[in-house]
Every structure is written in C-alpha cells, then in structure tokens.
Amino acid sequence: MTSGTYDTTLVILSILIAIAASYTALDLAGRIKAASGGIAAGSWLITAALAMGGGIWSMHFVAMLAFQMPGMEVSYDVGLTILSLLLAIVVTGIGFFVVSRSNGGWVPLIASGVLMGVGIAGMHYTGMAGMQMPARLGYNPVWVTASVLIAIVAAIAALWLAFARTGFLQKALASVFMGAAVSGMHYTGMLAATYSLDHAAGHVLAPATFTPLGLALGIAAATFFILGLAL
C-alpha cells in the first residue's frame, strides 16, 4: 500500500473551477425555458451541458493532478479520459433537458438528478480507471457510496437552482455551494481509493511532457477562457 499528498494550490484551483463552472451552467440553463424557439433552447441546452459537464471534468482532472505519490509516475489512457469527459457532458445535458421540458414537480427533478449524479460519479471513476501506473487501484465501498450520494444531492440541487428564478447574489451563493459539493464528491471518491504497488499492474505510456502543475494550469486557463466565452 502507498499513500500520496495533495498540492494545495491545485486543490484550491480545482474548487475555483467547480464554482466557475457551476455559475456559468446555472446562468445558461436558466435561458433554456426563456428561449423563443426550439433551436434557441437547444443551443442554450448544449452550451449549459458543455459548461457544467466540461467544467466538472476539468475540476476532476486538475484535482487528480493535485494528488501526487512520491516516486510514482502516472499517465492517462486517452480513450478512458475522453470517455469520462463525454459522460459528464451527456448526463448533464440529459438532466437539463428533462427538467426544462417538465412542468415542475419533484419526480422528474429527482429522477434526472439521480441519473446526473450517478453519471458524474461514473465520470470520476472512469477517469480513475484511466490512470496508468505501477499500482493496483482498490476502493472502500463505504466511501464510494458516500461519493455517489454526494454527487446525486449536488445534481438535484443544481437542476433545481438552474430553473429557479434567482438573482445574481443567489446564483453566486448557489455556485459556491455547488462547487463545494462537486469538489466534495471528487475528494470523497479519492479518499475511497487505495493504491497497492504492483509493477505488473500498469505502465507509463511515455515520459511526462508536462509537469502536473503545468498541465493543471493549462487546463484551468483553457476552462476559464471557455466559460468566459460561454457567458
């Protein structure tokens, strides 16, 4: 068994990404019902899903880069990493779509929130499965369950807030709550993971081209830029 440490700067950066993505998505999703036509509503839906799903994935990846195990090089399977990104965007889009088409009520909200929360948790664990390193991953089922429940609660809250009539201050406070919840889900999921050294378990695809800090800053800068354009 081995353990690691977190880069505090990258942890803070990951939380800020989650907050910024939450605010952007809440602002954009609120325009779906207000859109005058189907094409306009669809455009806002896609943009909101990209902002929320892409932002959550970016937070997740930066937070993974924040976790460092001394003496162990880690690379990422490109296919699984892309799959985790697509999963986050698709489940977020489905959640926004169902709630925007419903006439209110808790049933579609909770059903969509459960689907979206499980999908976000799936994104996290898919991304974790994409880690390639000389160690085997194991999980504590209690903490895994806790991370999924946090994701579901955060998703239900996000969907409710997205279509509630709120002003800037309420939206900003909601974004802080959402960002903290999304981050809490990720770090709870990381707490669930155990790493057993096994040089036959995986391998590094290639020598690292970027340092974790440099890669994380690049992803964060691109994310903030895209979220700014979306707003």
Side-chain angles (χ1 to χ4, degrees):
M1 302 289 289
T2 186
S3 59
T5 58
Y6 283 99
D7 184 312
T8 306
T9 301
L10 294 186
V11 169
I12 295 172
L13 182 60
S14 70
I15 296 172
L16 292 176
I17 290 173
I19 293 172
S22 298
Y23 179 83
T24 305
L26 293 179
D27 186 66
L28 295 173
R31 303 168 189 263
I32 297 173
K33 282 190 173 181
S36 57
I39 295 178
S43 299
W44 287 123
L45 173 64
I46 292 171
T47 309
L50 288 171
M52 190 71 179
I56 291 174
W57 178 87
S58 179
M59 174 272 151
H60 156 82
F61 200 75
V62 170
M64 287 179 67
L65 291 171
F67 184 69
Q68 299 166 7
M69 290 176 283
M72 186 181 297
E73 292 187 47
V74 179
S75 64
Y76 296 90
D77 181 276
V78 176
L80 288 176
T81 301
I82 293 175
L83 177 61
S84 68
L85 170 60
L86 294 177
L87 185 59
I89 294 172
V90 169
V91 296
T92 302
I94 292 174
F96 283 145
F97 175 78
V98 172
V99 176
S100 68
R101 290 298 182 94
S102 68
N103 295 319
W106 287 101
V107 174
L109 176 65
I110 293 176
S112 299
V114 170
L115 173 64
M116 184 171 160
V118 171
I120 291 172
M123 174 275 299
H124 170 83
Y125 291 106
T126 300
M128 292 287 287
M131 296 175 68
Q132 296 187 323
M133 55 190 172
R136 292 189 181 277
L137 266 177
Y139 290 101
N140 182 313
V142 174
W143 287 113
V144 169
T145 302
S147 70
V148 175
L149 292 176
I150 292 173
I152 290 173
V153 172
I156 293 173
L159 291 173
W160 179 73
L161 291 167
F163 298 99
R165 295 183 179 275
T166 56
F168 170 77
L169 181 58
Q170 293 91 336
K171 203 172 292 181
L173 291 174
S175 301
V176 173
F177 166 78
M178 279 302 306
V182 169
S183 302
M185 175 269 147
H186 173 88
Y187 289 108
T188 302
M190 292 293 288
L191 183 62
T194 57
Y195 306 87
S196 304
L197 288 176
D198 183 353
H199 292 283
H203 63 280
V204 175
L205 292 177
T209 306
F210 304 99
T211 63
L213 177 60
L215 183 56
L217 291 177
I219 292 173
T223 301
F224 284 125
F225 179 69
I226 293 170
L227 293 176
L229 288 180
L231 285 174

